[in-house]
């Protein structure tokens, strides 16, 4: 899939030009800067358009029927003793699920023991971080199914949605969930106004870079990916922190995998949030790390 980095940079220069244009009403020194940035944006936009004239790449529709799915669910967990049993139970007995692997990321409570009691395969990941737990879960799941599901063990996501994911996976290599469809969010979920639109903004930057994909959420963990597709990107996944989801999407698109996004049910989490949650500063830091990946990786 051809990347449109010039177009991505053009957008940034147009945005800076707009801001400086607004500022010049208050600070006269900005009077000529907006025109300068706007011209750079136009040049970059034109350069990207000229490069696109020779672009013969086409994304062909394909259909690969999934008759007897073997789904290995990789479930991340950190001090989730209040939720892990219910999370495992929600996914364990769903049609097509071959195994549920819980990745305990240095929990100080009895998350590990409760996961085992609930019927999951529990493993411990000593490298701290959301991304580290996700990567360990993906690798563990690859040996236990031909479809890998990534999800969190805090009861925010529903095993019932596996049916939707599997249906769309017949037309894609990876299917992502999006939490930005408010009709499917419970009123007490952790998706705040800033968190929702921050994810939308980052998703649209990624979409601008690749164009032939539609995205609205950069931070949703819930996803299904076919094993052959995961094998193509697993060694390129390096992020241990909260911006891992962005990196996985980026690597999939760079490898020309077909990625589809669908709305998923999103509920109030059980227990305390250990990710971004409602922490504005942690969310801002994660957004900045996502921006760096989208712009430079």
């Amino acid at each position: 899939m051809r990347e449109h980095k010039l177009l991505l940079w053009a957008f940034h220069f147009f945005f800076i030009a707009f801001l400086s244009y607004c500022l010049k009403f208050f600070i006269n020194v900005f009077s000529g800067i907006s025109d300068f940035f706007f011209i750079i944006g136009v040049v970059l936009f034109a350069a990207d358009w000229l490069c696109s004239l020779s672009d013969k790449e086409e994304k062909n529709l394909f259909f690969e029927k999934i008759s007897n799915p073997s789904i290995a669910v990789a479930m991340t967990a950190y001090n989730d003793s209040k939720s892990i049993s219910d999370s495992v139970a929600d996914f364990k007995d769903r049609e097509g699920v071959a195994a549920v692997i819980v990745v305990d990321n240095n929990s100080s409570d009895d998350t590990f023991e409760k996961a085992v009691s609930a019927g999951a395969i529990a493993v411990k990941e000593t490298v701290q971080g959301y991304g580290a737990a996700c990567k360990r879960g993906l690798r563990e799941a690859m040996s236990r199914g031909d479809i890998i599901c990534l999800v969190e063990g805090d009861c925010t996501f529903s095993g019932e949605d596996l049916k939707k994911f599997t249906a769309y996976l017949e037309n894609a290599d990876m299917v992502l969930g999006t939490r930005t469809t408010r009709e499917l969010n419970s009123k007490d979920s952790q998706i705040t106004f800033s968190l929702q639109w921050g994810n939308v903004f980052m998703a649209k930057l990624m979409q601008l870079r690749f164009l032939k994909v539609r995205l609205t959420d950069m931070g949703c963990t819930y996803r299904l990916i076919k094993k052959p597709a995961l094998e193509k990107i697993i060694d390129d996944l390096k992020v241990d922190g909260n911006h891992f989801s962005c990196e996985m999407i980026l690597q999939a698109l760079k490898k020309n995998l077909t990625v589809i996004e669908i709305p998923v049910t999103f509920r109030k989490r059980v227990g305390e949030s250990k990710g971004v949650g409602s922490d504005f500063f942690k969310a801002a830091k994660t957004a900045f790390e996502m921006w760096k990946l989208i712009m430079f990786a």
Side-chain angles (χ1 to χ4, degrees):
M1 184 179 296
R2 195 176 84 78
E3 300 181 34
H4 295 263
K5 281 192 173 183
L6 293 175
L7 183 61
L8 191 58
W9 279 106
F11 167 79
H12 281 74
F13 278 103
F14 286 140
F15 184 70
I16 295 172
F18 173 76
L19 288 181
S20 59
Y21 179 79
C22 294
L23 284 172
K24 78 177 184 180
F25 288 102
F26 305 99
I27 307 175
N28 291 331
V29 72
F30 285 92
S31 60
I33 294 180
S34 57
D35 294 337
F36 173 74
F37 284 123
F38 180 79
I39 291 171
I40 294 178
V42 170
V43 171
L44 291 172
F45 178 85
D48 186 86
W49 178 75
L50 289 173
C51 291
S52 299
L53 293 179
S54 60
D55 186 10
K56 302 297 182 182
E57 179 188 37
E58 293 185 2
K59 200 74 175 179
N60 295 320
L61 175 68
F62 75 88
F63 177 81
E64 186 179 283
K65 185 170 179 60
I66 301 175
S67 300
N68 298 296
S70 176
I71 304 172
V73 178
M75 186 176 290
T76 62
Y78 173 62
N79 289 343
D80 283 316
S81 63
K82 294 180 180 179
S83 62
I84 198 64
S85 296
D86 289 338
S87 292
V88 171
D90 189 20
F91 282 84
K92 183 173 175 290
D93 296 324
R94 298 289 177 179
E95 183 179 357
V97 173
V100 176
I101 303 103
V102 172
V103 181
D104 179 8
N105 195 205
N106 298 313
S107 296
S108 58
D109 58 16
D110 58 349
T111 295
F112 187 90
E113 291 76 16
K114 286 191 174 182
V116 173
S117 297
I121 301 167
V123 298
K124 293 187 177 183
E125 175 52 56
T126 57
V127 177
Q128 193 64 44
Y130 165 74
C134 288
K135 288 185 290 183
R136 178 65 183 277
L138 291 171
R139 289 189 180 278
E140 292 287 341
M142 286 173 69
S143 62
R144 294 179 171 90
D146 51 31
I147 296 173
I148 292 83
C149 169
L150 186 61
V151 73
E152 294 176 55
D154 56 9
C155 290
T156 51
F157 298 112
S158 171
E160 190 68 29
D161 282 339
L162 278 175
K163 294 182 293 185
K164 292 191 291 187
F165 277 98
T166 305
Y168 277 93
L169 199 61
E170 295 185 327
N171 291 113
D173 298 301
M174 180 167 71
V175 180
L176 308 169
T178 175
R179 304 159 297 172
T180 59
T181 304
R182 297 308 295 263
E183 293 85 352
L184 298 184
N185 291 357
S186 64
K187 293 181 180 179
D188 51 3
S189 75
Q190 63 187 32
I191 293 294
T192 61
F193 178 87
S194 59
L195 192 61
Q196 176 177 4
W197 290 106
N199 270 291
V200 170
F201 180 75
M202 288 299 157
K204 291 307 174 184
L205 284 184
M206 182 77 81
Q207 184 173 327
L208 196 60
R209 176 169 171 174
F210 292 95
L211 289 186
K212 296 181 181 179
V213 66
R214 181 191 61 81
L215 299 169
T216 61
D217 192 350
M218 273 290 102
C220 182
T221 302
Y222 204 178
R223 63 195 58 190
L224 256 67
I225 183 170
K226 293 173 180 174
K227 182 178 177 180
L230 181 57
E231 288 172 341
K232 293 179 180 179
I233 65 172
I234 190 67
D235 292 332
D236 296 314
L237 304 178
K238 308 297 182 184
V239 171
D240 291 332
N242 289 327
H243 53 300
F244 167 81
S245 177
C246 177
E247 183 193 39
M248 187 175 178
I249 297 169
L250 176 67
Q251 292 299 337
L253 294 173
K254 289 178 73 171
K255 291 292 172 61
N256 203 34
L257 300 182
T258 300
V259 177
I260 294 176
E261 187 186 71
I262 64 171
V264 293
T265 306
F266 194 66
R267 305 173 295 203
K268 179 182 179 181
R269 70 161 295 136
V270 175
E272 181 183 350
S273 175
K274 276 80 71 176
V276 170
S278 58
D279 189 323
F280 175 81
F281 294 103
K282 189 181 288 188
K285 180 182 177 182
T286 300
F288 180 65
E289 294 296 336
M290 287 182 175
W291 178 83
K292 287 196 298 184
L293 277 175
I294 296 168
M295 295 300 297
F296 302 108

